[in-house]
Amino acid sequence: MTDETPTAPEIEFRSDMTVELVRSSAHDSDVLFAARVSTMGEQTLESAQAPESDGAPKGAGLINYLMRDRHGSPFEHNSMTFYVQAPIFVFREFMRHRMASYNEESGRYRELNPVFYVPAENRNLVQVGKPGAYDFLPGSPEQYELVSEATRASSTLAFDAYQKMLEAGVAREVARIVLPLNIYSSMYVTVNARSLMNFLSLRTKREGTHFPSFPQREIEMCAEKMEDIWAGLMPLTYSAFEKNGRVAP
Ligand SMILES: Cc1cc2nc3c(=O)[nH]c(=O)nc-3n(C[C@H](O)[C@H](O)[C@H](O)COP(=O)(O)OP(=O)(O)OC[C@H]3O[C@@H](n4cnc5c(N)ncnc54)[C@H](O)[C@@H]3O)c2cc1C
């Protein structure tokens, strides 16, 4: 007798986030040419089309002024598309940011991969403080063990139930209802620098910002990667953002 039972896909547990820059058109000079139309009219077109002579656009002072006085629209004439893999509970927070465009993989049109998030050992586990300004402290070894084991066990149980339903001919859109929020999904997200600054100001926790925010660590892990990429693309804009208290203009 041959065993024709399909082998269940191997469950993978991850503690990290994927953020890759897929494409971009985002330079400090985009901010400058947009701002200069205000005083130069059509002459600004030449500076928009001319390559930077030494590779580094001048205009740090103008960018800083725009940031400080919250003249936000010159920061919109650019675009960055990121590929993100993160758990669904992170995507749910991401998509509250309406000034971005999203396309996500479908749980109706494809079978979801058994990839689940489990917190790393250095992820703080204990919440102290008051609503809106919680601090998170390391858990005990016992707490970490519990989180790790319970997350792995419930993810495995849920994915088994999903597989059983699919094998019985149940539609993907029905079978997926048992899958937990820590399953990974993938999406493209496109932003401009202004919408990204709003996102970063809310989804990173930094000392000394004008408006401190206390985001969930897992979306902050994505935000940090996006921030690093953006800082490389638009260094003058990034430095003005930092210098002015990380307030979105
Ligand atoms: C730490 C933290 C905790 C949170 N907790 C919760 C929670 O418990 N429950 C919950 O529901 N959400 C929660 N949120 C989500 C939060 O309320 C915002 O929806 C999210 O941060 C997106 O911010 P945004 O609206 O500024 O971004 P975007 O949607 O990208 O908007 C950018 C800017 O555009 C303008 N704008 C966009 N849409 C409108 C509109 N319809 N009308 C007027 N102006 C508009 C605003 O100026 C806005 O700041 C939380 C967010 C953070 C950072």
Side-chain angles (χ1 to χ4, degrees):
M1 201 176 93
T2 56
D3 182 4
E4 289 180 3
T5 315
T7 47
E10 191 114 338
I11 295 190
E12 183 187 339
F13 290 96
R14 290 176 58 180
S15 305
D16 64 327
M17 310 294 155
T18 298
V19 175
E20 288 164 13
L21 183 71
V22 176
R23 61 168 65 100
S24 69
S25 172
H27 310 276
D28 291 317
S29 53
D30 301 334
V31 180
L32 296 170
F33 100 86
R36 284 176 178 148
V37 75
S38 172
T39 53
M40 292 168 67
E42 74 287 352
Q43 293 166 45
T44 193
L45 276 174
E46 283 164 31
S47 63
Q49 283 152 10
E52 300 298 340
S53 52
D54 55 2
K58 294 173 181 59
L62 176 54
I63 288 178
N64 192 55
Y65 155 76
L66 295 168
M67 193 76 73
R68 190 196 65 208
D69 284 18
R70 303 189 66 217
H71 293 294
S73 51
F75 297 102
E76 296 172 10
H77 298 269
N78 57 81
S79 172
M80 289 161 269
T81 299
F82 297 95
Y83 172 72
V84 182
Q85 280 179 358
I88 283 181
F89 70 86
V90 172
F91 277 22
R92 192 168 157 177
E93 295 186 339
F94 241 110
M95 289 183 186
R96 299 305 308 278
H97 294 266
R98 293 156 289 178
M99 298 298 109
S101 304
Y102 303 95
N103 277 95
E104 184 184 358
E105 71 175 280
S106 168
R108 299 182 67 209
Y109 302 132
R110 66 173 304 204
E111 189 175 327
L112 295 174
N113 292 325
V115 184
F116 295 91
Y117 175 72
V118 62
E121 273 182 72
N122 61 2
R123 204 280 187 217
N124 289 340
L125 295 181
V126 179
Q127 176 179 302
V128 292
K130 56 181 187 336
Y134 288 121
D135 267 324
F136 291 85
L137 307 176
S140 64
E142 294 74 27
Q143 284 170 323
Y144 173 72
E145 200 61 27
L146 174 65
V147 168
S148 178
E149 274 180 18
T151 305
R152 286 166 197 270
S154 65
S155 306
T156 305
L157 189 72
F159 198 74
D160 282 351
Y162 176 64
Q163 285 281 294
K164 275 198 189 100
M165 284 190 264
L166 293 181
E167 281 160 22
V170 173
R172 288 181 291 257
E173 70 179 29
V174 177
R176 69 167 171 177
I177 66 175
V178 296
L179 293 172
L181 291 178
N182 69 325
I183 193 165
Y184 275 74
S185 188
S186 61
M187 68 171 173
Y188 292 116
V189 50
T190 299
V191 290
N192 61 47
R194 188 182 192 185
S195 55
L196 182 61
M197 284 187 268
N198 186 62
F199 176 80
L200 295 177
S201 71
L202 291 165
R203 300 300 183 178
T204 57
K205 181 178 179 223
R206 295 289 162 84
E207 297 297 324
T209 55
H210 274 322
F211 305 109
S213 192
F214 299 87
Q216 165 118 14
R217 177 59 194 144
E218 285 77 10
I219 194 166
E220 188 180 35
M221 288 158 73
C222 295
E224 286 170 354
K225 291 187 170 191
M226 292 166 79
E227 179 165 340
D228 284 349
I229 293 169
W230 172 57
L233 294 171
M234 301 178 76
L236 298 182
T237 307
Y238 178 66
S239 126
F241 175 61
E242 283 276 86
K243 198 167 151 192
N244 288 280
R246 296 172 68 89
V247 178

